[in-house]
Structure formats: C-alpha cells, structure tokens
Amino acid sequence: MVDDANSARGFFPFLKRGGWVGLALPAWVLAYLAVHPLAQWVAFRLLRLSPTSHLGEAVAFFCYDVPKVLLLLTLVVFVVTFLQTFVSPAKVRKALSRHHAGFGNALASLLGIVTPFCSCSAIPLFIGFLRAGVPLGVTFSFLVSAPMVNEVALGLLLVLFGWKIALLYAGTGVTIAFASGLILGRWKLETHLEAWVQEALNAPALAEAEEAPPSLTQRIAAAVQGVKDIVGKVWPYILAGIGVGALIHGYVPQSLMAGLLGKHAWYSVPLAVLIGVPLYSNAAGVVPIVEALLGKGAALGSSLAFMMAVIGLSLPELVILRRVLKPRLIAAFVAVVATGILLVGYLFNAIL
Amino acid sequence: MLIEVFGPGCAKCETLLKHARHAVELAGIEAQVVKVSDYLTMAQRGVLSTPALAVNGQLKSQGKVLSSTEILEWLKG
C-alpha cells in the first residue's frame, strides 16, 4: 500500500480505507433491534399463525433466529478474522518448536483456539510442525484443539448464551486437547506415521517462507473478506441448523428430550456422541441446534458432548488424517478424543 | 516468471489458481502458472497452510485466497 499516506485526506479516502466498516456498526445495531418485532409480525400477522400452535412456535423461532444468528455471526466473524491476522500457523509453529511435552501441549491447545485453520490444511500443517521439531504429542494437541474449539462457535456461544457457557466450552475443549496430546505423546507412536510422511520429515528444505506483517488497512480488508467467505459458506448450514432447531422447538415434547438427553439418563452422553460423529456440519450450524436442545431440557453436558463430537471428530477430517496416520494411530486418536468428550459430558451432567 | 499455487485441491486453492491466471493476464506478461498438490514438495518448500502462492520460487503468502489485484502487485515488481 504505497499510496496510503497520500490518499489519507478527506472523507472519501477514509471510507475507501476501511472507514465504512465503522459506519456499518450503527446499521448493524438497528437491524439487530428490529429482528424480534419483525419475526413476530411475520409469523403471527402476515402468516396469521396462532402463537400457541406447534407450527406458529416453529415458524416464529425460525424467523427470529435466522436473521439474529446471521447478524451475530457477521459481527463475530469480523472480529475474529481481524484478530486472526495477528496469529499465523508459522508463528504458532515457531512458538511450539521451543517447548516440550507438558507446557508445549498446553500452549498448543490454547493456540488452537485462535489459529486460522481449515481442514484441507491439516496435512501440510501436521508435517510442517513435525519438521520444525514440534513433538508429535504437541502437534496432536493442536490438531484436536484447532477444529474442536472453533473460534466462530465460541463467539456465537458467547453472544447467545453468555460467557459462562462459552468459557465452559473453550475450557473443556482445551483440556481434552491437552490431555489427548499428552497421552498420545507418551505412547511413542512415531512409527505409526505413513512411510511417505517419514520421508517428508527428512527431506531437505528447499526454501523457507517469510512474510511481511500486514498493514491495518490489509487487516480490515482481510476481516471483510473473512465475513464474505465464512458467512457466504456457512449460511446454508445455519439455515439447516435453525430449521432442525425450529422443529425441535415446536414439535419435540419436553419430556422426550429430557428422557433422551436429560441429565438423569446414563446413556444420554454416549448417545449424543454417537449421533454427533457421523454428522458433518459447520461449527456455526451446530450452535442453533444446541440452542434448541438446551431450550427443550437437554442436559448441558450432553449438549456440549454433542457439539464437540460434531465438529471435533468429523468423518471427513478423519479421512484426511488417514493419509498421514496408520490405522492404529488414527484409532488411538479417535479413542482418546472420544473418551475425553464422554468424560466432559458426564462431568457436567453430574455437577450442574 | 514462474507462479506456483500450492494446495491439495479444495475449492480455495482452485479459486487462488484462477486469480493467479487472471493476474498474469492483467499484467500482460509472460508467466507460467502451475499448481502444486504434492505434500512432499509443500513440506520442502515450507508451506504450512494452503492455499499458498510463490513467485519465482519465493513463497509470498499462505492460507489466503488472494485477489487478482493483490497478486498483480508482485508481478509488477
């Protein structure tokens, strides 16, 4: 951005350089305030549904939740992607290569929350970490934490349910990632990496990357782009998630939910995990389902377990990891993480 | 000039490849745009997150779908 200093005069350049984002905030607040009255009007006036009927309840929930969650998502993604421009996998790797098991696992689990991560990057990241001397167990801590403690889901939980549940989710996710990596690291499973990975670890480096830190304008542009990409990609998941949520909200009787996923049913946590693993959804799409589950009397532990199973242990992710891990190692990985999720579910059903 | 796009073949990498080709067109230069989807090469070249882009063997960006104009900056220099 060479011409930044010259064009910084007047209002129009200000808008061009990202200032319009500041003006978007009041518009966002107005839209957010209008969501509830509008939803009521659409469901009960425009469609003339009765507020006490199943259909009325489901439609009102849907019309209220869709714009609300999309607005909140936009704000959360903007803030998160802006902050993420300060953290890159390269920086994380540098930080982790200096630490060993224990502290390294803790650091990896924490950094997993904020690092931008896409499951198609899992393999280059995995190999890159090991090449830089990050221990296998520490790398696993990161690989568990990065998808499971999803920063967008965390932001949505924060704005929908408050800081306690958000903290609970982040805290337990980080703990599972920490413990899983520590255990897997203890088992010395390096020989269970696929042969080509061993080869890739020893291959000489051809060139190392260096990147210039972005300017503020570039950070804002990245955040705007993040909103376009992420909101553009996840809105169908959100619609589907809220649709399922609305059906649960309007039609599933409270007693059924309390029986299946309530805190007194011993099988509720494993059931939640079993349903969750084969389901593939974007993290942001799970949150509305969890919202409806909790509203209908599902226990918090079971709901958290469900959410973590959906986003932390997804089949597509395992298919990708299978390319670098031999079957025994991938089985150990799934077993350790699933056990962690189960423990978290039982723990919170027991104490809350 | 050689432009390499690194990525296993997800939607993001394809978009970056398209943008890189477009940037070459805009610059009106002679340049070869290739896609690298081999993990071994990515490891050797220091690619940590995809999609990544290298110009003349030098890695310029990682984990970002750059716009054509952003890529154009490097082609002009």
Side-chain angles (χ1 to χ4, degrees):
Chain A
M1 296 288 132
V2 190
D3 57 356
D4 262 10
N6 303 329
S7 65
R9 268 179 231 112
F11 196 60
F12 183 64
F14 165 73
L15 287 183
K16 242 180 120 179
R17 289 177 56 226
W20 64 271
V21 172
L23 297 179
L25 196 63
W28 186 94
V29 173
L30 283 179
Y32 189 75
L33 290 176
V35 166
H36 189 244
L38 264 178
Q40 299 281 318
W41 184 80
V42 168
F44 305 132
R45 289 282 176 79
L46 189 68
L47 299 173
R48 293 172 183 277
L49 297 166
S50 155
T52 50
S53 69
H54 287 317
L55 185 65
E57 264 189 67
V59 170
F61 181 86
F62 188 82
C63 293
Y64 170 58
D65 242 37
V66 169
K68 181 183 75 172
V69 173
L70 285 179
L71 278 171
L72 289 173
L73 182 72
T74 306
L75 187 68
V76 166
V77 169
F78 182 83
V79 173
V80 166
T81 32
F82 180 77
L83 293 178
Q84 280 181 338
T85 60
F86 293 91
V87 197
S88 70
K91 280 189 196 163
V92 171
R93 176 174 71 166
K94 210 169 162 193
L96 291 181
S97 60
R98 291 194 226 111
H99 300 285
H100 293 285
F103 185 74
N105 290 89
L107 193 63
S109 315
L110 285 173
L111 288 172
I113 307 176
V114 284
T115 319
F117 176 79
C118 137
S119 56
C120 45
S121 276
I123 293 179
L125 188 118
F126 183 81
I127 295 175
F129 272 34
L130 293 181
R131 274 174 69 91
V134 179
L136 186 60
V138 175
T139 305
F140 272 126
S141 278
F142 184 82
L143 271 184
V144 172
S145 164
M148 188 149 74
V149 190
N150 180 282
E151 63 284 353
V152 175
L154 182 63
L156 277 179
L157 286 181
L158 182 72
V159 287
L160 285 174
F161 301 114
W163 63 271
K164 277 186 195 156
I165 292 196
L167 195 68
L168 209 59
Y169 164 64
T172 51
V174 165
T175 310
I176 293 175
F178 170 75
S180 307
L182 207 59
I183 293 170
L184 289 167
R186 278 280 175 84
W187 287 347
K188 304 269 177 241
L189 296 162
E190 278 79 358
T191 48
H192 291 278
L193 297 174
E194 288 290 345
W196 73 268
V197 179
Q198 318 264 11
E199 192 188 335
L201 293 185
N202 298 320
L206 295 177
E208 283 300 324
E210 45 184 291
E211 264 181 280
S215 67
L216 182 64
T217 315
Q218 281 172 316
R219 291 187 203 279
I220 293 176
V224 172
Q225 191 60 42
V227 168
K228 280 188 201 157
D229 287 349
I230 297 179
V231 178
K233 198 177 69 181
V234 308
W235 70 266
Y237 289 98
I238 296 216
L239 282 192
I242 296 173
V244 173
L247 289 178
I248 295 174
H249 189 80
Y251 289 93
V252 178
Q254 197 116 18
S255 54
L256 178 72
M257 189 58 76
L260 281 177
L261 294 177
K263 61 194 289 184
H264 297 298
W266 65 268
Y267 49 79
S268 81
V269 179
L271 182 71
V273 173
L274 278 181
I275 301 173
V277 173
L279 278 184
Y280 176 68
S281 166
N282 195 283
V286 193
V287 176
I289 300 183
V290 169
E291 188 187 10
L293 287 178
L294 285 174
K296 275 290 173 174
L300 185 61
S302 310
S303 304
L304 266 180
F306 172 75
M307 180 166 166
M308 289 177 163
V310 172
I311 57 182
L313 269 183
S314 71
L315 281 180
E317 176 98 8
L318 294 177
V319 170
I320 292 175
L321 283 180
R322 174 64 191 86
R323 293 205 50 187
V324 285
L325 312 178
K326 286 186 187 165
R328 271 186 63 183
L329 183 47
I330 209 152
F333 177 78
V334 173
V336 168
V337 176
T339 310
I341 296 177
L342 287 177
L343 286 177
V344 162
Y346 278 118
L347 180 72
F348 284 107
N349 281 357
I351 62 173
L352 291 177
Chain B
M1 196 172 244
L2 173 69
I3 295 152
E4 293 157 293
V5 173
F6 299 87
C10 53
K12 282 183 179 178
C13 323
E14 295 304 323
T15 317
L16 182 62
L17 190 64
K18 215 169 67 190
H19 290 177
R21 293 214 174 99
H22 186 57
V24 170
E25 253 172 62
L26 289 177
I29 52 166
E30 280 289 310
Q32 204 190 348
V33 183
V34 291
K35 172 130 187 279
V36 182
S37 44
D38 174 44
Y39 287 123
L40 194 64
T41 317
M42 283 190 230
Q44 290 188 291
R45 296 288 294 277
V47 173
L48 265 188
S49 47
T50 56
L53 183 117
V55 178
N56 284 339
Q58 206 192 3
L59 212 52
K60 290 289 191 184
S61 123
Q62 294 201 54
K64 261 183 290 189
V65 180
L66 303 158
S67 69
S68 311
T69 22
E70 280 174 296
I71 302 171
L72 194 60
E73 290 290 314
W74 292 312
L75 303 189
K76 282 192 290 192

